[in-house]
């Protein structure tokens, strides 16, 4: 069986690692020119779903590398007032609606640098990962799948997996009935070097998984730490791996988020702003707050700020297909209010990987495996979409989810 994965994001790479580890024939096609072609974001929070998926997918030494370069924060989501004084500290599994991890005895939380995690997931995939490959469309029949790329490449296989994010080309053809909605929320992301963050933030902001302050408008300042136990550039060598990760420094990720009206009337104009202009906008958005909070974005790294528009999938019934499926944001894109998007994508990858291994062993037919995967994946995936929208409405003034 030849498996084609469209998209070299975290979910697609996790699946590729799992399939390759089990001796399966897999190829990954990524539209970007290279692995660092565009900003991918900073801090990610991984819970038991994400951590266990990575452990199950990676070779043992690469999982050790993952652990060596992951932050072990205190397992709290913390709420502050606009003067950065403590209001409430939630156990994060309570906040994120992952109490079932506690019940199963698997609860664990890490903060990871997205770029470092992606480097680790790409390790050993050089021979099967192809860049500058933007899918145009596919053709599917009972004999297999043919993927047509904009550069003229034509690739044949037995199964096509759309792991190509919220703007998924695969989804638009596989499930044209699927819709995204504008959540009505926007955000400016940046980061603050750890030594500078210590000067402007309380210690619990450096210790907990995530800390947020908000005002009556539901405008939020959120922060989360990345403190490497071992520097990425030396971690691989300490494990005897012939691999060098890119140099990184400790930092605190920073987000200023709220209703789109706070960011101007035209997203197109905001997208044109430079990082410095976005940083200044973030400073101005908090200008009415006490100086303790309004000084936080001013401490950010120059050149680190970027703008995002928050969209959400609208849950729907995914019709079965015999050799095309989806995972991660390509099917259940969600707003980041629960911090679960990456975890659900990683959970998808392992669930689908297990089904495909059953097919390779002759224990199941492909069409049945895909149906079983999609039934379970859409149930838990769209539940998290709903929970994320509920929390986003409560905290950010996000528009209620359209059903």
């Amino acid at each position: 069986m030849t498996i084609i994965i469209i998209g070299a994001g975290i979910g697609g790479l996790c699946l590729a690692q799992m399939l390759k580890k089990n001796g399966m024939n897999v190829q990954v096609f990524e539209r970007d020119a290279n692995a660092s072609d565009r900003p991918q974001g900073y801090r990610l929070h991984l819970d038991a779903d994400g951590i266990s998926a990575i452990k199950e997918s990676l070779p043992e030494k690469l999982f050790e590398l993952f652990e060596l370069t992951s932050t072990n924060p205190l397992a709290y989501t913390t709420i502050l007032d606009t003067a950065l004084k403590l209001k409430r500290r939630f156990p994060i599994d309570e906040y994120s609606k992952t109490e079932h991890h506690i019940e199963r005895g698997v609860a664990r939380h890490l903060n990871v640098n997205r770029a470092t995690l992606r480097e680790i997931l790409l390790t050993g995939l050089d021979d099967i990962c192809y860049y500058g490959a933007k899918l145009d469309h596919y053709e599917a029949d009972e004999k297999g799948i043919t993927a047509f790329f904009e550069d003229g490449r034509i690739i044949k296989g037995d199964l096509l997996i759309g792991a190509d994010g919220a703007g998924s080309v695969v989804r638009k053809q596989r499930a044209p009935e699927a819709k995204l909605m504008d959540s009505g929320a926007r955000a400016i992301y940046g980061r603050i070097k750890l030594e500078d963050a210590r000067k402007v933030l309380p210690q619990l902001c450096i210790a907990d998984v995530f800390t947020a302050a908000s005002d009556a408008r539901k405008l939020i300042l959120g922060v989360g730490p990345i403190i490497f136990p071992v520097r990425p550039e030396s971690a691989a060598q300490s494990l005897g791996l012939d691999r060098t990760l890119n140099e990184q420094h400790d930092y605190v990720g920073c987000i200023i988020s709220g209703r789109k009206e706070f960011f101007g009337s035209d997203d197109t104009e905001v997208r044109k702003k430079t990082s410095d202009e976005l940083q200044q906008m973030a400073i101005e958005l908090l200008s009415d707050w006490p100086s303790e909070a309004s000084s936080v974005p001013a401490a950010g790294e120059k050149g680190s700020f970027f703008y995002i528009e928050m969209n959400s999938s609208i849950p729907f019934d995914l019709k079965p297909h015999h050799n095309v499926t989806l995972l991660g944001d390509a099917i259940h894109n969600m707003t980041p209010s629960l911090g679960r998007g990456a975890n659900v994508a990683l959970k998808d990858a392992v669930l689908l990987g297990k089904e495909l291994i059953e097919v390779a062993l002759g224990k199941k037919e492909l069409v049945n495996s895909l149906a079983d995967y999609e039934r379970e994946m859409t149930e838990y995936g769209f539940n998290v979409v709903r929970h994320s929208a509920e929390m986003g409405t409560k905290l950010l003034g996000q528009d209620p989810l359209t059903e």
Side-chain angles (χ1 to χ4, degrees):
M1 184 165 59
T2 298
I3 299 163
I4 300 168
I5 298 175
I6 305 298
I10 287 169
L13 292 175
C14 181
L15 176 59
Q17 286 280 0
M18 186 175 188
L19 297 178
K20 185 175 182 181
K21 187 169 79 168
N22 285 276
M24 299 176 70
N25 183 17
V26 57
Q27 296 175 298
V28 182
F29 295 89
E30 168 58 47
R31 65 182 179 180
D32 289 346
N34 54 63
S36 57
D37 188 49
R38 60 191 167 92
Q40 299 277 321
Y42 303 122
R43 183 202 69 104
L44 284 177
H45 158 240
L46 295 186
D47 61 29
D49 284 333
I51 297 166
S52 61
I54 291 170
K55 184 174 184 177
E56 193 154 0
S57 301
L58 288 179
E60 184 178 347
K61 282 287 186 182
L62 285 185
F63 183 72
E64 289 180 37
L65 180 60
F66 161 75
E67 289 193 303
L68 276 184
T69 55
S70 296
T71 304
N72 285 275
L74 299 180
Y76 292 97
T77 295
T78 301
I79 307 300
L80 309 178
D81 64 19
T82 56
L84 304 189
K85 302 300 182 185
L86 180 64
K87 292 177 67 176
R88 187 169 177 189
R89 216 173 179 204
F90 294 88
I92 193 166
D93 286 297
E94 175 187 332
Y95 175 86
S96 298
K97 302 185 183 300
T98 50
E99 294 98 332
H100 56 285
H101 292 159
I102 298 175
E103 295 165 6
R104 290 170 49 208
V106 298
R108 191 181 175 198
H109 298 274
L110 296 172
N111 281 355
V112 301
N113 184 49
R114 180 190 286 267
T116 301
L117 173 60
R118 194 156 178 250
E119 282 187 275
I120 293 169
L121 290 172
L122 279 164
T123 301
L125 302 184
D126 293 346
D127 58 332
I128 63 167
C129 193
Y130 304 91
Y131 293 96
K134 187 174 182 181
L135 182 71
D136 183 75
H137 69 283
Y138 65 82
E139 293 178 1
D141 57 32
E142 296 302 324
K143 295 180 180 179
I145 194 90
T146 305
F148 297 84
F149 294 86
E150 290 187 358
D151 62 3
R153 269 182 278 194
I154 300 174
I155 306 295
K156 294 182 179 293
D158 299 292
L159 170 65
L160 182 76
I161 299 163
D164 48 341
S168 173
V169 174
V170 180
R171 183 192 66 245
K172 290 171 184 174
Q173 184 173 347
R174 164 73 169 82
E177 70 275 21
K179 305 297 180 187
L180 290 178
M181 64 168 280
D182 181 350
S183 75
R186 302 291 185 265
I188 296 172
Y189 280 90
R191 63 183 189 179
I192 309 167
K193 289 182 179 179
L194 183 62
E195 58 267 30
D196 295 325
R198 292 192 190 280
K199 298 173 185 176
V200 296
L201 291 170
Q203 175 55 31
L204 57 79
C205 295
I206 313 294
D208 293 353
V209 170
F210 187 72
T211 304
S214 64
D215 64 14
R217 299 173 294 170
K218 297 184 179 180
L219 182 70
I220 285 180
L221 166 66
V223 294
I226 292 292
I227 302 173
F228 296 101
V230 179
R231 293 285 182 191
E233 58 269 25
S234 58
Q237 286 76 10
S238 72
L239 293 172
L241 290 168
D242 184 21
R243 176 77 162 98
T244 301
L245 300 178
N246 286 327
E247 183 177 353
Q248 302 286 347
H249 60 261
D250 297 338
Y251 66 89
V252 172
C254 172
I255 176 174
I256 297 86
S257 183
R259 287 290 308 173
K260 61 184 179 181
E261 291 81 7
F262 302 150
F263 296 81
S265 59
D266 188 348
D267 285 316
T268 303
E269 291 303 311
V270 183
R271 284 188 224 115
K272 294 177 183 177
K273 291 184 180 294
T274 66
S275 174
D276 287 350
E277 289 170 335
L278 290 171
Q279 184 175 12
Q280 184 58 39
M281 177 183 281
I283 294 168
E284 291 170 0
L285 282 168
L286 301 182
S287 61
D288 292 338
W289 289 24
S291 59
E292 291 88 347
S294 59
S295 63
V296 174
E301 290 181 54
K302 294 298 181 185
S304 72
F305 288 79
F306 64 94
Y307 179 67
I308 67 163
E309 301 149 47
M310 296 184 186
N311 296 314
S312 175
S313 297
I314 300 173
F316 70 103
D317 292 325
L318 180 64
K319 298 179 178 67
H321 194 286
H322 62 284
N323 59 4
V324 180
T325 194
L326 301 157
L327 68 77
D329 286 350
I331 175 66
H332 45 57
N333 185 49
M334 61 194 70
T335 53
S337 48
L338 289 183
R340 298 216 57 215
N343 295 288
V344 180
L346 290 165
K347 182 175 180 176
D348 292 351
V350 167
L351 177 62
L352 179 54
K354 288 178 178 178
E355 289 288 350
L356 296 180
I357 290 167
E358 291 283 286
V359 174
L361 293 173
K363 295 181 179 180
K364 291 181 79 169
E365 293 293 325
L366 178 61
V367 64
N368 295 329
S369 277
L370 293 183
D372 289 345
Y373 159 71
E374 290 179 352
R375 188 179 307 111
E376 185 172 349
M377 175 271 293
T378 53
E379 180 178 357
Y380 67 68
F382 286 140
N383 277 340
V384 181
V385 169
R386 293 184 183 97
H387 290 150
S388 295
E390 289 169 5
M391 188 63 76
T393 300
K394 179 180 179 181
L395 294 181
L396 296 173
Q398 173 182 330
D399 294 335
L401 187 67
T402 302
E403 287 287 352

